[in-house]
Amino acid sequence: MSCFASQGRITVINSSSDPRKTEINNELYCISNSGVYKVGEKSERQCLIPFNGQDIKAFFSGDKNSICICKTTENGTEVSRYDLNGDLSATPILINFPDADICAEENGVFYGVISVGESIEPAAFDSSGERIDTDIKKLEYTDDVFTFLGDRDRTYYALITDTASKYIGRSKDKVIYLKRSYSPELIIADPDTDSIIRVDLADKFRACHSFSNVIDDCVCTVLTATHSTVGLGSGHSDKGDISSLKKHRYDIFVLTDINSGEVIKQHKTRRGEKMIYADAEKVMTIYRGRYITYSADDWKELDLRKASEIKKDGSYTFETCGEHIFVFDDDTGRCINKLSVS
């Protein structure tokens, strides 16, 4: 059976909760250390705003109509707006705090953190660069510290100081994040009541976290299992590269109710079958050169399409952002397909 299976690498990325990536007009926009890029279907990355080695902070505006660039100057933090073509669209503003770390913009208000003495405090600034009063919370759960930055419409941005944790997303008044990559634990936190629900997926699944997606009152988690081999004399288990299909055993789909923490659905793929997208209604996989869509409810097959661009022994990255899955050929860096998730 294995001789007919693809023996390449499949990397799956979910950018839904990544503020450095967004889908705008069916194109993927990315912020990296070297600049701001965009890429469309069957095209190479285009650099819109190069950073040229400068220490620059960049983020997308809340309405996704502009790109904000922050530079530290002698007089403070300069924030400039660029349009989606990479052209300067407004006069830069100056925030008179040299150490201000601006992270987000919503409805004309800039949010970030500043140093006050020996502590870090959240702060908000208006379009002229003046600090304004706003209700910003700083919450702590065990070793995780959150700063919620946003407006009164509850559009928040979450920062986690514990690097071992991974922010998954928000659902109404709940915040979902992940602890541990192997046999992970989901944390569902309520900032208004300071209550948390812990979902220890290790109780049921011994696998590595691949990606997660928050949909309404559910969190969809995909875990991947690889062959475990014991190195000679090492005395420990080597889980292998979770992107390699040579050691891939199966993926696991887990649907968890956010309000109760109960696992309400779970499904497992066949050997060599890789999940590339999941939500509360459907799961998309790639298996033997085909894209398969299943019902998340009863695992019935809903759709089957050929993946003619995927070649044996190739290396590919499937990146979900917005309403599409962008398929990249790792050898060329080109986007070779774009799959709709709707």
PDB file of all heavy atoms in Angstrom, residues 123-159:
ATOM      1  N   ALA A 123      -1.637  50.634  26.623  1.00  0.00           N
ATOM      2  CA  ALA A 123      -1.947  52.044  26.372  1.00  0.00           C
ATOM      3  C   ALA A 123      -2.639  52.195  25.026  1.00  0.00           C
ATOM      4  O   ALA A 123      -2.503  51.345  24.143  1.00  0.00           O
ATOM      5  CB  ALA A 123      -0.665  52.886  26.407  1.00  0.00           C
ATOM      6  N   ALA A 124      -3.366  53.307  24.878  1.00  0.00           N
ATOM      7  CA  ALA A 124      -4.058  53.617  23.621  1.00  0.00           C
ATOM      8  C   ALA A 124      -3.758  55.068  23.240  1.00  0.00           C
ATOM      9  O   ALA A 124      -3.596  55.936  24.107  1.00  0.00           O
ATOM     10  CB  ALA A 124      -5.563  53.408  23.775  1.00  0.00           C
ATOM     11  N   PHE A 125      -3.679  55.322  21.927  1.00  0.00           N
ATOM     12  CA  PHE A 125      -3.342  56.644  21.414  1.00  0.00           C
ATOM     13  C   PHE A 125      -4.292  57.006  20.278  1.00  0.00           C
ATOM     14  O   PHE A 125      -4.706  56.146  19.503  1.00  0.00           O
ATOM     15  CB  PHE A 125      -1.896  56.667  20.909  1.00  0.00           C
ATOM     16  CG  PHE A 125      -0.882  56.265  21.940  1.00  0.00           C
ATOM     17  CD1 PHE A 125      -0.527  54.941  22.107  1.00  0.00           C
ATOM     18  CD2 PHE A 125      -0.291  57.218  22.753  1.00  0.00           C
ATOM     19  CE1 PHE A 125       0.394  54.549  23.058  1.00  0.00           C
ATOM     20  CE2 PHE A 125       0.639  56.843  23.719  1.00  0.00           C
ATOM     21  CZ  PHE A 125       0.983  55.505  23.877  1.00  0.00           C
ATOM     22  N   ASP A 126      -4.621  58.306  20.183  1.00  0.00           N
ATOM     23  CA  ASP A 126      -5.511  58.746  19.107  1.00  0.00           C
ATOM     24  C   ASP A 126      -4.714  59.010  17.838  1.00  0.00           C
ATOM     25  O   ASP A 126      -3.493  58.806  17.785  1.00  0.00           O
ATOM     26  CB  ASP A 126      -6.329  59.967  19.537  1.00  0.00           C
ATOM     27  CG  ASP A 126      -5.460  61.181  19.864  1.00  0.00           C
ATOM     28  OD1 ASP A 126      -4.279  61.229  19.425  1.00  0.00           O
ATOM     29  OD2 ASP A 126      -5.949  62.097  20.554  1.00  0.00           O
ATOM     30  N   SER A 127      -5.405  59.476  16.794  1.00  0.00           N
ATOM     31  CA  SER A 127      -4.777  59.661  15.482  1.00  0.00           C
ATOM     32  C   SER A 127      -3.779  60.804  15.444  1.00  0.00           C
ATOM     33  O   SER A 127      -3.075  60.973  14.451  1.00  0.00           O
ATOM     34  CB  SER A 127      -5.854  59.881  14.414  1.00  0.00           C
ATOM     35  OG  SER A 127      -6.665  60.993  14.750  1.00  0.00           O
ATOM     36  N   SER A 128      -3.705  61.593  16.516  1.00  0.00           N
ATOM     37  CA  SER A 128      -2.698  62.652  16.583  1.00  0.00           C
ATOM     38  C   SER A 128      -1.498  62.235  17.418  1.00  0.00           C
ATOM     39  O   SER A 128      -0.548  63.007  17.575  1.00  0.00           O
ATOM     40  CB  SER A 128      -3.319  63.932  17.155  1.00  0.00           C
ATOM     41  OG  SER A 128      -3.728  63.736  18.494  1.00  0.00           O
ATOM     42  N   GLY A 129      -1.548  61.034  17.985  1.00  0.00           N
ATOM     43  CA  GLY A 129      -0.426  60.536  18.769  1.00  0.00           C
ATOM     44  C   GLY A 129      -0.546  60.773  20.256  1.00  0.00           C
ATOM     45  O   GLY A 129       0.359  60.420  21.009  1.00  0.00           O
ATOM     46  N   GLU A 130      -1.688  61.377  20.712  1.00  0.00           N
ATOM     47  CA  GLU A 130      -1.876  61.653  22.125  1.00  0.00           C
ATOM     48  C   GLU A 130      -2.448  60.426  22.838  1.00  0.00           C
ATOM     49  O   GLU A 130      -3.325  59.746  22.309  1.00  0.00           O
ATOM     50  CB  GLU A 130      -2.815  62.844  22.315  1.00  0.00           C
ATOM     51  CG  GLU A 130      -2.270  64.155  21.759  1.00  0.00           C
ATOM     52  CD  GLU A 130      -1.011  64.614  22.488  1.00  0.00           C
ATOM     53  OE1 GLU A 130      -0.933  64.415  23.716  1.00  0.00           O
ATOM     54  OE2 GLU A 130      -0.106  65.158  21.822  1.00  0.00           O
ATOM     55  N   ARG A 131      -1.961  60.184  24.066  1.00  0.00           N
ATOM     56  CA  ARG A 131      -2.474  59.063  24.837  1.00  0.00           C
ATOM     57  C   ARG A 131      -3.894  59.355  25.310  1.00  0.00           C
ATOM     58  O   ARG A 131      -4.198  60.485  25.731  1.00  0.00           O
ATOM     59  CB  ARG A 131      -1.570  58.775  26.031  1.00  0.00           C
ATOM     60  CG  ARG A 131      -1.970  57.503  26.778  1.00  0.00           C
ATOM     61  CD  ARG A 131      -1.021  57.172  27.907  1.00  0.00           C
ATOM     62  NE  ARG A 131      -1.419  55.924  28.564  1.00  0.00           N
ATOM     63  CZ  ARG A 131      -0.808  55.395  29.617  1.00  0.00           C
ATOM     64  NH1 ARG A 131       0.269  56.001  30.122  1.00  0.00           N
ATOM     65  NH2 ARG A 131      -1.242  54.271  30.145  1.00  0.00           N
ATOM     66  N   ILE A 132      -4.765  58.367  25.245  1.00  0.00           N
ATOM     67  CA  ILE A 132      -6.151  58.529  25.647  1.00  0.00           C
ATOM     68  C   ILE A 132      -6.525  57.458  26.665  1.00  0.00           C
ATOM     69  O   ILE A 132      -5.874  56.417  26.763  1.00  0.00           O
ATOM     70  CB  ILE A 132      -7.114  58.448  24.437  1.00  0.00           C
ATOM     71  CG1 ILE A 132      -6.970  57.096  23.725  1.00  0.00           C
ATOM     72  CG2 ILE A 132      -6.868  59.602  23.476  1.00  0.00           C
ATOM     73  CD1 ILE A 132      -7.935  56.907  22.568  1.00  0.00           C
ATOM     74  N   ASP A 133      -7.574  57.726  27.437  1.00  0.00           N
ATOM     75  CA  ASP A 133      -8.056  56.763  28.421  1.00  0.00           C
ATOM     76  C   ASP A 133      -8.950  55.744  27.746  1.00  0.00           C
ATOM     77  O   ASP A 133      -9.828  56.083  26.958  1.00  0.00           O
ATOM     78  CB  ASP A 133      -8.841  57.475  29.527  1.00  0.00           C
ATOM     79  CG  ASP A 133      -7.959  58.380  30.376  1.00  0.00           C
ATOM     80  OD1 ASP A 133      -6.772  58.037  30.535  1.00  0.00           O
ATOM     81  OD2 ASP A 133      -8.456  59.416  30.851  1.00  0.00           O
ATOM     82  N   THR A 134      -8.730  54.474  28.048  1.00  0.00           N
ATOM     83  CA  THR A 134      -9.574  53.409  27.525  1.00  0.00           C
ATOM     84  C   THR A 134      -9.501  52.227  28.470  1.00  0.00           C
ATOM     85  O   THR A 134      -8.553  52.101  29.261  1.00  0.00           O
ATOM     86  CB  THR A 134      -9.129  52.995  26.108  1.00  0.00           C
ATOM     87  OG1 THR A 134     -10.070  52.064  25.572  1.00  0.00           O
ATOM     88  CG2 THR A 134      -7.754  52.375  26.121  1.00  0.00           C
ATOM     89  N   ASP A 135     -10.504  51.384  28.434  1.00  0.00           N
ATOM     90  CA  ASP A 135     -10.584  50.230  29.329  1.00  0.00           C
ATOM     91  C   ASP A 135      -9.821  49.063  28.715  1.00  0.00           C
ATOM     92  O   ASP A 135     -10.323  48.366  27.844  1.00  0.00           O
ATOM     93  CB  ASP A 135     -12.049  49.859  29.552  1.00  0.00           C
ATOM     94  CG  ASP A 135     -12.197  48.690  30.516  1.00  0.00           C
ATOM     95  OD1 ASP A 135     -11.244  48.451  31.274  1.00  0.00           O
ATOM     96  OD2 ASP A 135     -13.247  48.035  30.496  1.00  0.00           O
ATOM     97  N   ILE A 136      -8.585  48.886  29.165  1.00  0.00           N
ATOM     98  CA  ILE A 136      -7.748  47.796  28.673  1.00  0.00           C
ATOM     99  C   ILE A 136      -7.377  46.901  29.845  1.00  0.00           C
ATOM    100  O   ILE A 136      -6.907  47.377  30.875  1.00  0.00           O
ATOM    101  CB  ILE A 136      -6.469  48.326  27.996  1.00  0.00           C
ATOM    102  CG1 ILE A 136      -6.831  49.279  26.854  1.00  0.00           C
ATOM    103  CG2 ILE A 136      -5.619  47.182  27.474  1.00  0.00           C
ATOM    104  CD1 ILE A 136      -5.636  49.884  26.180  1.00  0.00           C
ATOM    105  N   LYS A 137      -7.589  45.620  29.678  1.00  0.00           N
ATOM    106  CA  LYS A 137      -7.364  44.683  30.773  1.00  0.00           C
ATOM    107  C   LYS A 137      -6.022  43.987  30.644  1.00  0.00           C
ATOM    108  O   LYS A 137      -5.553  43.696  29.558  1.00  0.00           O
ATOM    109  CB  LYS A 137      -8.468  43.625  30.798  1.00  0.00           C
ATOM    110  CG  LYS A 137      -9.857  44.187  31.061  1.00  0.00           C
ATOM    111  CD  LYS A 137     -10.879  43.073  31.085  1.00  0.00           C
ATOM    112  CE  LYS A 137     -12.263  43.618  31.379  1.00  0.00           C
ATOM    113  NZ  LYS A 137     -13.280  42.541  31.415  1.00  0.00           N
ATOM    114  N   LYS A 138      -5.444  43.722  31.801  1.00  0.00           N
ATOM    115  CA  LYS A 138      -4.253  42.888  31.877  1.00  0.00           C
ATOM    116  C   LYS A 138      -4.573  41.763  32.846  1.00  0.00           C
ATOM    117  O   LYS A 138      -4.844  41.997  34.027  1.00  0.00           O
ATOM    118  CB  LYS A 138      -3.043  43.686  32.358  1.00  0.00           C
ATOM    119  CG  LYS A 138      -1.747  42.882  32.378  1.00  0.00           C
ATOM    120  CD  LYS A 138      -0.578  43.756  32.803  1.00  0.00           C
ATOM    121  CE  LYS A 138       0.718  42.972  32.813  1.00  0.00           C
ATOM    122  NZ  LYS A 138       1.863  43.809  33.227  1.00  0.00           N
ATOM    123  N   LEU A 139      -4.587  40.545  32.370  1.00  0.00           N
ATOM    124  CA  LEU A 139      -5.030  39.407  33.150  1.00  0.00           C
ATOM    125  C   LEU A 139      -3.932  38.364  33.254  1.00  0.00           C
ATOM    126  O   LEU A 139      -3.101  38.228  32.353  1.00  0.00           O
ATOM    127  CB  LEU A 139      -6.282  38.782  32.519  1.00  0.00           C
ATOM    128  CG  LEU A 139      -7.444  39.748  32.271  1.00  0.00           C
ATOM    129  CD1 LEU A 139      -8.510  39.073  31.435  1.00  0.00           C
ATOM    130  CD2 LEU A 139      -8.035  40.218  33.580  1.00  0.00           C
ATOM    131  N   GLU A 140      -3.935  37.630  34.338  1.00  0.00           N
ATOM    132  CA  GLU A 140      -2.936  36.590  34.537  1.00  0.00           C
ATOM    133  C   GLU A 140      -3.621  35.276  34.880  1.00  0.00           C
ATOM    134  O   GLU A 140      -4.505  35.226  35.723  1.00  0.00           O
ATOM    135  CB  GLU A 140      -1.966  36.973  35.660  1.00  0.00           C
ATOM    136  CG  GLU A 140      -1.129  38.210  35.350  1.00  0.00           C
ATOM    137  CD  GLU A 140      -0.041  38.453  36.373  1.00  0.00           C
ATOM    138  OE1 GLU A 140       0.279  37.491  37.102  1.00  0.00           O
ATOM    139  OE2 GLU A 140       0.476  39.570  36.448  1.00  0.00           O
ATOM    140  N   TYR A 141      -3.210  34.217  34.180  1.00  0.00           N
ATOM    141  CA  TYR A 141      -3.658  32.864  34.482  1.00  0.00           C
ATOM    142  C   TYR A 141      -2.413  32.014  34.678  1.00  0.00           C
ATOM    143  O   TYR A 141      -1.704  31.721  33.706  1.00  0.00           O
ATOM    144  CB  TYR A 141      -4.515  32.297  33.350  1.00  0.00           C
ATOM    145  CG  TYR A 141      -5.753  33.104  33.052  1.00  0.00           C
ATOM    146  CD1 TYR A 141      -5.824  33.902  31.920  1.00  0.00           C
ATOM    147  CD2 TYR A 141      -6.849  33.070  33.908  1.00  0.00           C
ATOM    148  CE1 TYR A 141      -6.965  34.638  31.639  1.00  0.00           C
ATOM    149  CE2 TYR A 141      -7.985  33.805  33.645  1.00  0.00           C
ATOM    150  CZ  TYR A 141      -8.043  34.590  32.508  1.00  0.00           C
ATOM    151  OH  TYR A 141      -9.164  35.326  32.238  1.00  0.00           O
ATOM    152  N   THR A 142      -2.140  31.621  35.888  1.00  0.00           N
ATOM    153  CA  THR A 142      -0.934  30.869  36.232  1.00  0.00           C
ATOM    154  C   THR A 142       0.294  31.558  35.633  1.00  0.00           C
ATOM    155  O   THR A 142       0.600  32.683  35.990  1.00  0.00           O
ATOM    156  CB  THR A 142      -1.042  29.403  35.784  1.00  0.00           C
ATOM    157  OG1 THR A 142      -1.207  29.345  34.359  1.00  0.00           O
ATOM    158  CG2 THR A 142      -2.240  28.744  36.432  1.00  0.00           C
ATOM    159  N   ASP A 143       0.977  30.914  34.690  1.00  0.00           N
ATOM    160  CA  ASP A 143       2.185  31.500  34.117  1.00  0.00           C
ATOM    161  C   ASP A 143       1.912  32.227  32.807  1.00  0.00           C
ATOM    162  O   ASP A 143       2.837  32.599  32.095  1.00  0.00           O
ATOM    163  CB  ASP A 143       3.250  30.421  33.885  1.00  0.00           C
ATOM    164  CG  ASP A 143       2.724  29.250  33.075  1.00  0.00           C
ATOM    165  OD1 ASP A 143       1.503  29.193  32.849  1.00  0.00           O
ATOM    166  OD2 ASP A 143       3.537  28.391  32.677  1.00  0.00           O
ATOM    167  N   ASP A 144       0.642  32.451  32.474  1.00  0.00           N
ATOM    168  CA  ASP A 144       0.281  33.133  31.234  1.00  0.00           C
ATOM    169  C   ASP A 144      -0.251  34.527  31.553  1.00  0.00           C
ATOM    170  O   ASP A 144      -1.159  34.686  32.374  1.00  0.00           O
ATOM    171  CB  ASP A 144      -0.794  32.357  30.469  1.00  0.00           C
ATOM    172  CG  ASP A 144      -0.322  30.958  30.105  1.00  0.00           C
ATOM    173  OD1 ASP A 144       0.638  30.882  29.332  1.00  0.00           O
ATOM    174  OD2 ASP A 144      -0.894  29.989  30.604  1.00  0.00           O
ATOM    175  N   VAL A 145       0.317  35.525  30.888  1.00  0.00           N
ATOM    176  CA  VAL A 145      -0.119  36.903  31.093  1.00  0.00           C
ATOM    177  C   VAL A 145      -0.686  37.427  29.786  1.00  0.00           C
ATOM    178  O   VAL A 145      -0.021  37.405  28.752  1.00  0.00           O
ATOM    179  CB  VAL A 145       1.045  37.806  31.562  1.00  0.00           C
ATOM    180  CG1 VAL A 145       0.563  39.228  31.745  1.00  0.00           C
ATOM    181  CG2 VAL A 145       1.639  37.273  32.855  1.00  0.00           C
ATOM    182  N   PHE A 146      -1.925  37.915  29.818  1.00  0.00           N
ATOM    183  CA  PHE A 146      -2.591  38.424  28.633  1.00  0.00           C
ATOM    184  C   PHE A 146      -2.753  39.930  28.729  1.00  0.00           C
ATOM    185  O   PHE A 146      -3.053  40.467  29.795  1.00  0.00           O
ATOM    186  CB  PHE A 146      -4.002  37.833  28.486  1.00  0.00           C
ATOM    187  CG  PHE A 146      -4.034  36.378  28.168  1.00  0.00           C
ATOM    188  CD1 PHE A 146      -3.979  35.441  29.166  1.00  0.00           C
ATOM    189  CD2 PHE A 146      -4.119  35.955  26.858  1.00  0.00           C
ATOM    190  CE1 PHE A 146      -4.017  34.095  28.880  1.00  0.00           C
ATOM    191  CE2 PHE A 146      -4.159  34.613  26.560  1.00  0.00           C
ATOM    192  CZ  PHE A 146      -4.111  33.684  27.570  1.00  0.00           C
ATOM    193  N   THR A 147      -2.582  40.593  27.613  1.00  0.00           N
ATOM    194  CA  THR A 147      -2.972  41.988  27.495  1.00  0.00           C
ATOM    195  C   THR A 147      -3.951  42.078  26.341  1.00  0.00           C
ATOM    196  O   THR A 147      -3.613  41.747  25.215  1.00  0.00           O
ATOM    197  CB  THR A 147      -1.760  42.901  27.215  1.00  0.00           C
ATOM    198  OG1 THR A 147      -0.816  42.751  28.267  1.00  0.00           O
ATOM    199  CG2 THR A 147      -2.203  44.345  27.132  1.00  0.00           C
ATOM    200  N   PHE A 148      -5.176  42.499  26.634  1.00  0.00           N
ATOM    201  CA  PHE A 148      -6.203  42.590  25.599  1.00  0.00           C
ATOM    202  C   PHE A 148      -6.257  44.020  25.089  1.00  0.00           C
ATOM    203  O   PHE A 148      -6.521  44.956  25.842  1.00  0.00           O
ATOM    204  CB  PHE A 148      -7.565  42.161  26.151  1.00  0.00           C
ATOM    205  CG  PHE A 148      -7.596  40.735  26.563  1.00  0.00           C
ATOM    206  CD1 PHE A 148      -7.382  40.376  27.879  1.00  0.00           C
ATOM    207  CD2 PHE A 148      -7.799  39.736  25.627  1.00  0.00           C
ATOM    208  CE1 PHE A 148      -7.387  39.051  28.260  1.00  0.00           C
ATOM    209  CE2 PHE A 148      -7.806  38.402  26.003  1.00  0.00           C
ATOM    210  CZ  PHE A 148      -7.606  38.068  27.315  1.00  0.00           C
ATOM    211  N   LEU A 149      -5.995  44.171  23.821  1.00  0.00           N
ATOM    212  CA  LEU A 149      -5.948  45.490  23.214  1.00  0.00           C
ATOM    213  C   LEU A 149      -7.060  45.598  22.191  1.00  0.00           C
ATOM    214  O   LEU A 149      -7.118  44.826  21.245  1.00  0.00           O
ATOM    215  CB  LEU A 149      -4.593  45.711  22.527  1.00  0.00           C
ATOM    216  CG  LEU A 149      -3.361  45.420  23.399  1.00  0.00           C
ATOM    217  CD1 LEU A 149      -2.103  45.485  22.559  1.00  0.00           C
ATOM    218  CD2 LEU A 149      -3.291  46.410  24.530  1.00  0.00           C
ATOM    219  N   GLY A 150      -7.968  46.553  22.372  1.00  0.00           N
ATOM    220  CA  GLY A 150      -9.062  46.663  21.413  1.00  0.00           C
ATOM    221  C   GLY A 150     -10.052  47.737  21.804  1.00  0.00           C
ATOM    222  O   GLY A 150      -9.876  48.438  22.793  1.00  0.00           O
ATOM    223  N   ASP A 151     -11.105  47.865  21.027  1.00  0.00           N
ATOM    224  CA  ASP A 151     -12.094  48.902  21.292  1.00  0.00           C
ATOM    225  C   ASP A 151     -13.265  48.337  22.077  1.00  0.00           C
ATOM    226  O   ASP A 151     -13.271  47.185  22.493  1.00  0.00           O
ATOM    227  CB  ASP A 151     -12.552  49.552  19.976  1.00  0.00           C
ATOM    228  CG  ASP A 151     -13.217  48.544  19.052  1.00  0.00           C
ATOM    229  OD1 ASP A 151     -13.559  47.434  19.524  1.00  0.00           O
ATOM    230  OD2 ASP A 151     -13.396  48.851  17.873  1.00  0.00           O
ATOM    231  N   ARG A 152     -14.266  49.152  22.303  1.00  0.00           N
ATOM    232  CA  ARG A 152     -15.409  48.744  23.109  1.00  0.00           C
ATOM    233  C   ARG A 152     -16.330  47.785  22.372  1.00  0.00           C
ATOM    234  O   ARG A 152     -17.279  47.271  22.954  1.00  0.00           O
ATOM    235  CB  ARG A 152     -16.185  49.985  23.582  1.00  0.00           C
ATOM    236  CG  ARG A 152     -15.375  50.846  24.536  1.00  0.00           C
ATOM    237  CD  ARG A 152     -16.209  51.988  25.097  1.00  0.00           C
ATOM    238  NE  ARG A 152     -15.422  52.803  25.990  1.00  0.00           N
ATOM    239  CZ  ARG A 152     -15.247  52.537  27.278  1.00  0.00           C
ATOM    240  NH1 ARG A 152     -15.797  51.452  27.801  1.00  0.00           N
ATOM    241  NH2 ARG A 152     -14.529  53.327  28.046  1.00  0.00           N
ATOM    242  N   ASP A 153     -16.089  47.556  21.083  1.00  0.00           N
ATOM    243  CA  ASP A 153     -16.848  46.558  20.338  1.00  0.00           C
ATOM    244  C   ASP A 153     -16.295  45.154  20.578  1.00  0.00           C
ATOM    245  O   ASP A 153     -16.687  44.218  19.907  1.00  0.00           O
ATOM    246  CB  ASP A 153     -16.825  46.878  18.834  1.00  0.00           C
ATOM    247  CG  ASP A 153     -17.558  48.165  18.521  1.00  0.00           C
ATOM    248  OD1 ASP A 153     -18.510  48.501  19.260  1.00  0.00           O
ATOM    249  OD2 ASP A 153     -17.181  48.825  17.550  1.00  0.00           O
ATOM    250  N   ARG A 154     -15.356  45.041  21.508  1.00  0.00           N
ATOM    251  CA  ARG A 154     -14.769  43.769  21.914  1.00  0.00           C
ATOM    252  C   ARG A 154     -13.952  43.125  20.803  1.00  0.00           C
ATOM    253  O   ARG A 154     -13.876  41.909  20.682  1.00  0.00           O
ATOM    254  CB  ARG A 154     -15.836  42.791  22.420  1.00  0.00           C
ATOM    255  CG  ARG A 154     -16.632  43.325  23.594  1.00  0.00           C
ATOM    256  CD  ARG A 154     -17.493  42.255  24.217  1.00  0.00           C
ATOM    257  NE  ARG A 154     -16.666  41.224  24.841  1.00  0.00           N
ATOM    258  CZ  ARG A 154     -16.097  41.344  26.032  1.00  0.00           C
ATOM    259  NH1 ARG A 154     -16.250  42.462  26.711  1.00  0.00           N
ATOM    260  NH2 ARG A 154     -15.386  40.367  26.533  1.00  0.00           N
ATOM    261  N   THR A 155     -13.349  43.948  19.954  1.00  0.00           N
ATOM    262  CA  THR A 155     -12.369  43.448  18.997  1.00  0.00           C
ATOM    263  C   THR A 155     -11.019  43.505  19.687  1.00  0.00           C
ATOM    264  O   THR A 155     -10.364  44.535  19.691  1.00  0.00           O
ATOM    265  CB  THR A 155     -12.364  44.284  17.715  1.00  0.00           C
ATOM    266  OG1 THR A 155     -13.669  44.303  17.171  1.00  0.00           O
ATOM    267  CG2 THR A 155     -11.392  43.703  16.705  1.00  0.00           C
ATOM    268  N   TYR A 156     -10.597  42.413  20.304  1.00  0.00           N
ATOM    269  CA  TYR A 156      -9.402  42.408  21.127  1.00  0.00           C
ATOM    270  C   TYR A 156      -8.226  41.737  20.424  1.00  0.00           C
ATOM    271  O   TYR A 156      -8.396  40.892  19.567  1.00  0.00           O
ATOM    272  CB  TYR A 156      -9.658  41.688  22.458  1.00  0.00           C
ATOM    273  CG  TYR A 156     -10.561  42.424  23.396  1.00  0.00           C
ATOM    274  CD1 TYR A 156     -11.863  41.997  23.603  1.00  0.00           C
ATOM    275  CD2 TYR A 156     -10.120  43.545  24.068  1.00  0.00           C
ATOM    276  CE1 TYR A 156     -12.709  42.660  24.463  1.00  0.00           C
ATOM    277  CE2 TYR A 156     -10.963  44.217  24.938  1.00  0.00           C
ATOM    278  CZ  TYR A 156     -12.254  43.771  25.132  1.00  0.00           C
ATOM    279  OH  TYR A 156     -13.077  44.441  25.981  1.00  0.00           O
ATOM    280  N   TYR A 157      -7.059  42.112  20.863  1.00  0.00           N
ATOM    281  CA  TYR A 157      -5.825  41.488  20.422  1.00  0.00           C
ATOM    282  C   TYR A 157      -5.150  40.928  21.667  1.00  0.00           C
ATOM    283  O   TYR A 157      -5.039  41.621  22.668  1.00  0.00           O
ATOM    284  CB  TYR A 157      -4.913  42.499  19.720  1.00  0.00           C
ATOM    285  CG  TYR A 157      -5.529  43.071  18.474  1.00  0.00           C
ATOM    286  CD1 TYR A 157      -6.470  44.091  18.553  1.00  0.00           C
ATOM    287  CD2 TYR A 157      -5.198  42.578  17.232  1.00  0.00           C
ATOM    288  CE1 TYR A 157      -7.052  44.609  17.407  1.00  0.00           C
ATOM    289  CE2 TYR A 157      -5.773  43.087  16.078  1.00  0.00           C
ATOM    290  CZ  TYR A 157      -6.702  44.109  16.177  1.00  0.00           C
ATOM    291  OH  TYR A 157      -7.279  44.611  15.054  1.00  0.00           O
ATOM    292  N   ALA A 158      -4.735  39.694  21.641  1.00  0.00           N
ATOM    293  CA  ALA A 158      -4.180  39.050  22.830  1.00  0.00           C
ATOM    294  C   ALA A 158      -2.693  38.792  22.661  1.00  0.00           C
ATOM    295  O   ALA A 158      -2.254  38.328  21.616  1.00  0.00           O
ATOM    296  CB  ALA A 158      -4.904  37.739  23.119  1.00  0.00           C
ATOM    297  N   LEU A 159      -1.940  39.112  23.683  1.00  0.00           N
ATOM    298  CA  LEU A 159      -0.513  38.840  23.718  1.00  0.00           C
ATOM    299  C   LEU A 159      -0.240  37.898  24.872  1.00  0.00           C
ATOM    300  O   LEU A 159      -0.758  38.082  25.978  1.00  0.00           O
ATOM    301  CB  LEU A 159       0.284  40.132  23.913  1.00  0.00           C
ATOM    302  CG  LEU A 159       0.006  41.272  22.923  1.00  0.00           C
ATOM    303  CD1 LEU A 159       0.792  42.499  23.322  1.00  0.00           C
ATOM    304  CD2 LEU A 159       0.368  40.842  21.522  1.00  0.00           C
TER     305      LEU A 159
END
